[in-house]
Amino acid sequence: MDYQRLAELLFPDVTVTPEELEEKYPPRKLPEGAKVTRFAPSPTGFVHIGGVYQTMVGERLAHQSGGVFYLRIEDTDAKREIPGAAEGLINTLSRYGICFDEGAAIGENGEIIDRGAYGPYKQSRRADIYHVYAKKLVAEGKAYPCFTTDEELRAIEAADKKAEVKSREWTVETEAAQKAEMRRLREFTIEDVERNLAAGNKFVLRILADGDPEKKTPFTDLVKGKLEIPENDEDFVLLKSDGIPTYHFAHAVDDHLMRTTHVIRGEEWLPSVAKHIQLFRYLGFKPPKYLHTAQIMRLDENGNKKKFSKRDLGANMNDYERDGYAPAAVSEYLLTVLNSNFEEWRMQNPDKPFTDFKFDIKKMCASGCLFDRAKIEDVSKNVVSRMSTDEVYSQLSDWARSYDPDFYALLDRDPDYAKAILSIGRGGKKPRKDYGLWSEVKEFVSFFYDELFRREDEIPASFSRADVKRALTEFADTLDFSDDANAWFEKIKAVAEGMGYASDMRRYKAAPEEYRGSVADVSMFIRVAVTGRMNSPDLYTVIHILGAERTVARVREYAAGIDG
Ligand code: GLU
């Protein structure tokens, strides 16, 4: 067969050569060891936590090494594309500190533009480029057209989904039949092609696979280690009948021309590696290094590991925004899952930004990483506890503006008051860890706002009502806001003593029967009267934020509610 002629027949409009493309997209000038990585999502409008997790690997590896991290939009499957998905994705990732140096970006008018010298970065705009290599493969006898009607196409589609079929009812006979069918596709003449083209028939372009599945190719995955992969003997499709490439073909051409050094993608692509190795060889490209990330799993009700499916809470990144996770908490959590030594590093470096952590491929889990809800909440509490008051105020009010407007109005009404509340227990070696999610803050601070204040706890009935009333009244009568914490507490002790309650806890513990109670009980009366709760942060701090008037009013109101 005259392959050159075949190539001209199939791609008459292609005049650009692979050499010209090599020149147009030259190797990048980067320091030794710099990694070029990419995120290559299909814009389906859904940002899965697994995607962010994978993206973090690429972002860390590129930026840690002084390399380039770029975004390529894989929109070859128009049926699945959702308008605005690419924009949404870029915005979501930037929320988590994942920013691209190059690639698809949002332009001034909100449209998707190309930023960088290796574009276009949207596969739908790269048809011309793919066709240059398609033509080359045909001219070298490594790919061939397959003219088929839609019906026939559907019939042989099964061959492309061999693995899928295998898991159902795959027998040796059907496999042999499929292979025979595949071989039959290879049999054609130039005249057949000319006739089909003249009739306006469409073709798919298939690779002419030379692999022997009995033979294995050694392959090293950066996280899964050394593997042996059976060679590919399947004439898989490179170009669909509309001239659009399949993932396999686009991957090889794009990652080569964009000079990707490390392909980081989900482990669902591992079974396709044999095809990719073959394709890189056919095209004369040096294959990139591969890192297949393990799927994120979750635990079901019975404690079994399950795939984190689209519908599970926490799969969609929007869930985290709505529930009020600080972006840094999500990023830190993902790092905890990604690198087994991150937590230890965090303990030793509580104040450093997580980007200072040296991400290490060797510390990645090779399969079935577990997403643990309790753990992410714990990480969030730690992250929020280390934030400054201003940071907390700003993130909390941003969240509330969208998700709890009533609460936002309160926060916005008096920012200084809100900040005083949010500053409780902040700073120092052991900051308080009251809340990890912005959606939890309201519940925690509600007693500071009359509009939200509810009495949740009562003073236990075991205490004499008269004692409670007397303690509260004396406290209100003697409250002097200029007292420092010591003087303030001395007064509470005096109230206790006057009622036959021990003011010294040690003495009380030694002989409780000698007292009606202790100063701790009196403090509890005041706490419940002021905050409506048995537990609250330091009472002196609380009342100094609430103010004298509101404190006294709440205490007197409580006392007044006691009969007798
Ligand atoms: N578009 C592919 C996907 O959505 C990307 C795989 C890759 O990163 O190469 O899974």
Coordinates of all heavy atoms in Angstrom, one line a residue, residues 114 139 188 194 230 260 282-283 288 318 541:
D114 N -6.6 31.8 26.2 CA -5.3 31.1 26.3 C -4.2 32.0 26.9 O -4.1 33.1 26.4 CB -4.8 30.7 24.9 CG -5.6 29.4 24.4 OD1 -6.0 28.6 25.3 OD2 -5.8 29.3 23.2
A139 N 0.9 8.1 7.0 CA 2.0 8.1 6.0 C 3.1 7.0 6.4 O 3.8 6.5 5.5 CB 2.6 9.4 5.9
F188 N -8.0 -3.4 3.3 CA -8.7 -2.5 2.3 C -7.6 -2.1 1.3 O -6.4 -2.2 1.5 CB -9.3 -1.3 3.1 CG -8.3 -0.5 3.8 CD1 -7.6 0.6 3.1 CD2 -7.9 -0.7 5.1 CE1 -6.7 1.3 3.8 CE2 -7.0 0.0 5.8 CZ -6.4 1.1 5.1
E194 N -10.7 5.6 -1.8 CA -11.2 6.6 -2.8 C -12.7 6.6 -3.0 O -13.4 7.6 -3.0 CB -10.5 6.4 -4.1 CG -9.0 7.0 -4.1 CD -8.2 6.6 -5.3 OE1 -8.5 5.6 -6.0 OE2 -7.3 7.4 -5.6
P230 N 0.8 -5.7 29.9 CA 0.8 -6.5 28.6 C 0.7 -5.5 27.4 O 0.1 -4.4 27.5 CB -0.5 -7.2 28.7 CG -1.0 -7.1 30.1 CD -0.3 -5.9 30.7
T260 N 5.0 18.5 28.8 CA 4.7 18.0 30.2 C 5.7 17.0 30.6 O 6.1 16.1 29.8 CB 3.3 17.3 30.2 OG1 2.3 18.1 29.5 CG2 2.8 16.9 31.6
Y282 N 5.1 5.3 18.6 CA 4.7 5.4 17.2 C 5.0 6.9 16.7 O 5.4 7.1 15.6 CB 3.2 5.1 17.0 CG 2.9 3.7 16.8 CD1 3.7 2.7 17.3 CD2 1.7 3.3 16.0 CE1 3.3 1.3 17.1 CE2 1.4 2.0 15.8 CZ 2.2 1.0 16.4 OH 1.9 -0.3 16.2
L283 N 4.7 7.8 17.6 CA 4.9 9.2 17.2 C 6.3 9.7 17.4 O 6.6 10.8 17.0 CB 4.0 10.1 18.2 CG 2.4 10.0 17.9 CD1 1.6 10.5 19.1 CD2 2.1 10.7 16.6
P288 N 6.2 11.0 29.0 CA 6.4 11.7 30.2 C 6.5 10.7 31.4 O 6.3 9.5 31.2 CB 5.1 12.5 30.3 CG 4.1 11.6 29.6 CD 4.8 10.9 28.5
N318 N -18.6 22.2 46.0 CA -19.5 23.2 46.5 C -20.0 22.9 47.9 O -20.4 23.8 48.6 CB -20.8 23.2 45.6 CG -20.5 23.7 44.2 OD1 -19.4 24.4 44.0 ND2 -21.3 23.5 43.2
T541 N -14.1 37.5 80.6 CA -13.9 38.0 79.2 C -15.3 38.1 78.5 O -15.6 39.2 77.9 CB -13.1 36.9 78.3 OG1 -12.0 36.6 79.1 CG2 -12.8 37.5 77.0

